Structure formats: structure tokens, C-alpha cells
Amino acid sequence: LLKVIDEHGKTIYRVQLPKEGRCIFLGWEPSGAALAAVQDHGGAFLWFPSKPDCVQQWEGMQFSSRATAKKNAHFHTCFAEWSTMRKLVLGLADGNFACWDLASNETFISRKHFAGKHKGAITCGAWGGRGAILALGSKNQIKVSKPLMNASWESTAAKLALPDNELSFQDLNFSPSGQTLSALAGTSIFRHLCLYAVREQLAELASRASSRSSFSGILTGGGGGGGVDGDKAVLMPVGEMRPDATIGGIQAVLWLDNEMCVAVTSNGYLRFMQYAPGDGALLEEQHKPCGGGVTAACLLKTTGHIAIVTPGKISFFDAIRLEVVATAAIPPCPDGIRNIKLQPCESGTKLFL
């Protein structure tokens, strides 16, 4: 069921989505012009405030309007994400992806014959460079391309060299400048974090560079391969973070405006990491602002605070003063239920838990 309500709790629109499907993504286009509800079988169901009486179902290259949505077994979606430039990308189980530009209404879908396509399901992705760069990840590959312009991706695979065959990329995020990419791989409390520097360099650097991480891929692009920006680009591993008994598992990865990556762990630790390109070094610092039992965290972009959820409260950590400056009590969860996501609204005046 998709239900849209206003700030007073009044229902504006509701529609029954296919009962066989599972919702994997719900998100507003950044300007608020469209809401996308994405199911694993059925593509994206789009609701527009300007046309509040129906949803449109988008399945790659076609749209349809209907009062009740239907399942599409041939369009198996595993991942979805809006860009800041009003583009929606869907990652598919067969290794292809689809992209829709809201501004121009242009659509694109990759095809099986494209060289360099993912061999497995696309499980994660990230937009960088204000929507000009798209990174997509599958089980053991990350590939970067300029969407809608060139999606063939020859020679752009970065291999995830971990021994456990069950591990796969689960989450990707670019830094604000797009010069660094964070990648989470694994499952549950055993997820690992790796940082990649996105560089334009000579392709032969890739063959000479030695890996410093168990995420040991070198991603290269060039010569029609849809590289990051320019003819030659490499994705170099520059740092890694593993869970352990002291810090616990990685619950969230956040990027601050100053290119600082912050990993929030289940035992209440914050690991600050910043790559210094000039020195080729990763600067690290660790703090413990709260107790254990962390289940979610997010960045409040309007104030720069990091909000951290623990049992019974939300703590607000000041990343400059390096201390908790406020807390807010939250009601306890019923038995068998836990808080799993914390998200601020665009204005920064409300938090959704």
C-alpha cells in the first residue's frame, strides 16, 4: 500500500500496490516534484503532487497510468536512487539498469549485449558530480559511467577480493566533491568499509598499483569505456575499516561537507576518515559519544550535527566540537521491533524514525 499524507496527518492519496511485490525504495525527487515507490517486481510507481489522482508505473522504456498497480515479473528491480539533478536509476537483477530524467522525460535502459555490463544483480549505487557520474555495484564489482551518454563500461570492473562467496557490495556513496567513493560489502554486523579515491591518471598506473585492502580491485576506464570524467580514470583503494568486538558492526556511513567520512558503529563509536591526496595518506580519528545499541544514524545537513539512535534516545553529536550537544528521548520499541532508519526532512526541522 502506498499512502501519502500531509503534515497534519490527512490522507492525500492511497493506492494498493501489487501484493506479490516488496517495496525496496521510497523516496522523493529532491525538489518534491515526484515520489517514487519501487517494488522488486513492478518497477517504479510514480506519484506527482501536480497530478494527485493517480500513479504512473515505469518499467524501463514505458509508462502506464492506472488506478491499481500490477506486478511485472520481467522487470525485477533490486536498487533505486534519485540524483540531485532529477534522475531516477533502477538496478535490475539481470545486471542491467534503467534511468529516467524527470526534467527531459528521457529514458534509457542498458541491454544484455553491452560490453562490460554487470554479470549479477545490481545491488547498490551512487550518484556523484551533481548527477553527472553514476556508480553501480553488484556482487563483486563496481562500475562507473556517465549515465545516458555511455553505458558500455568496457574495462571498468573492480573486483572485490574477499574469500567469502556470500559477501557482496551493499552500499555506495560519493563524497561531496565526487573524488572519493565509500563502499560497504558483506552482511549484517560483518560489513566492511572501503574507501576509493577517484582519480584521472594514466591507465598503466592500474597495472603497477598494489592493493592495500582486501577490497583489492583497481577500477579503470578509458577509450569509450565511460570513465569517470575524461579519457582515463582509476578507482584506487585508499583505506579500509573492519568491524571488531570493541567497536561493533558498522551501522551507517556518512559524508561531511569537508570530505570527511564518518562510520557509525553499533557500540557507539564514530570513526572519522579523510583522504589527503597530496600525501596519499588516510587520516583517522575515533570518538565514543554514546553507549552501545546504536541502530541508526544520519547527518543533519542544515546544522552539521550527527544524529545517533540508541535505546531510549537520540544523541546529537557536534562534529566540530567533538561532543554530544543535545539528546532527545524516544519511546521504547515493542518487543521484537527495533528502530532501523533515521532520516531528516529537507528543511532540517523534522526527523523521521
Side-chain angles (χ1 to χ4, degrees):
L1 179 70
L2 173 62
K3 185 177 181 180
V4 183
I5 61 176
D6 64 15
E7 60 182 336
H8 304 294
K10 179 183 177 181
T11 299
I12 300 173
Y13 179 74
R14 60 181 291 161
V15 64
Q16 180 64 56
L17 299 179
K19 295 181 180 180
E20 306 91 336
R22 178 176 62 91
C23 188
I24 63 167
F25 175 80
L26 180 67
W28 286 96
E29 182 273 326
S31 73
L35 174 68
V38 180
Q39 284 195 322
D40 52 1
H41 290 88
F45 300 95
L46 304 167
W47 181 79
F48 302 89
S50 59
K51 300 177 182 178
D53 297 328
C54 66
V55 291
Q56 285 190 335
Q57 186 175 4
W58 174 49
E59 302 164 302
M61 294 300 289
Q62 61 184 8
F63 290 86
S64 59
S65 296
R66 52 175 60 94
T68 57
K70 67 176 183 179
K71 174 183 175 181
N72 184 345
H74 303 291
F75 199 75
H76 190 171
T77 309
C78 303
F79 162 78
E81 187 71 33
W82 283 106
S83 79
T84 58
M85 301 305 289
R86 315 183 76 181
K87 295 183 178 71
L88 177 66
V89 64
L90 305 181
L92 307 182
D94 64 0
N96 285 297
F97 75 97
C99 188
W100 172 55
D101 188 329
L102 173 61
S104 66
N105 203 33
E106 183 180 6
T107 60
F108 173 86
I109 185 167
S110 61
R111 298 297 183 187
K112 293 181 179 180
H113 65 272
F114 281 180
K117 71 176 288 291
H118 285 269
K119 294 181 176 62
I122 294 177
T123 56
C124 56
W127 293 93
R130 293 184 56 82
I133 304 169
L134 176 61
L136 295 174
S138 56
K139 182 174 178 62
N140 63 347
Q141 293 180 322
I142 299 175
K143 297 184 178 183
V144 178
S145 177
K146 290 184 177 179
L148 303 181
M149 294 174 60
N150 188 331
S152 57
W153 293 343
E154 291 95 335
S155 304
T156 59
K159 302 294 184 180
L160 174 59
L162 288 176
D164 191 338
N165 291 330
E166 297 301 317
L167 290 175
S168 62
F169 283 113
Q170 298 295 326
D171 188 62
L172 302 177
N173 283 287
F174 279 103
S175 66
S177 70
Q179 296 179 0
T180 312
L181 180 70
S182 63
L184 277 175
T187 57
S188 186
I189 62 173
F190 302 107
R191 294 191 301 175
H192 298 187
L193 170 66
C194 187
L195 298 180
Y196 292 98
V198 183
R199 297 176 178 174
E200 291 181 48
Q201 293 186 4
L202 296 177
E204 53 264 26
L205 279 179
S207 62
R208 292 190 283 115
S210 60
S211 171
R212 297 193 295 268
S213 159
S214 61
F215 292 71
S216 60
I218 299 294
L219 183 151
T220 65
V228 174
D229 190 9
D231 290 334
K232 304 293 182 184
V234 292
L235 196 61
M236 303 281 292
V238 296
E240 182 184 10
M241 177 182 174
R242 292 172 171 265
D244 60 41
T246 299
I247 65 174
I250 300 172
Q251 297 296 92
V253 176
L254 312 172
W255 281 102
L256 307 185
D257 288 340
N258 61 354
E259 296 290 296
M260 185 82 71
C261 181
V262 184
V264 185
T265 75
S266 58
N267 288 349
Y269 287 86
L270 299 184
R271 177 80 59 85
F272 289 78
M273 295 166 283
Q274 188 173 40
Y275 178 64
D279 301 330
L282 185 70
L283 309 177
E284 299 186 64
E285 189 174 319
Q286 188 163 283
H287 300 271
K288 194 178 190 303
C290 56
V294 174
T295 56
C298 71
L299 175 65
L300 308 180
K301 293 185 178 180
T302 54
T303 64
H305 293 98
I306 298 171
I308 308 166
V309 179
T310 52
K313 69 179 179 180
I314 301 176
S315 301
F316 298 88
F317 183 81
D318 189 317
I320 297 178
R321 295 164 57 181
L322 299 178
E323 62 182 9
V324 173
V325 294
T327 60
I330 55 177
C333 293
D335 291 342
I337 297 176
R338 68 189 185 106
N339 298 311
I340 60 172
K341 186 173 183 179
L342 185 67
Q343 180 177 330
C345 67
E346 289 296 323
S347 66
T349 58
K350 293 184 178 68
L351 277 173
F352 299 97
L353 177 61

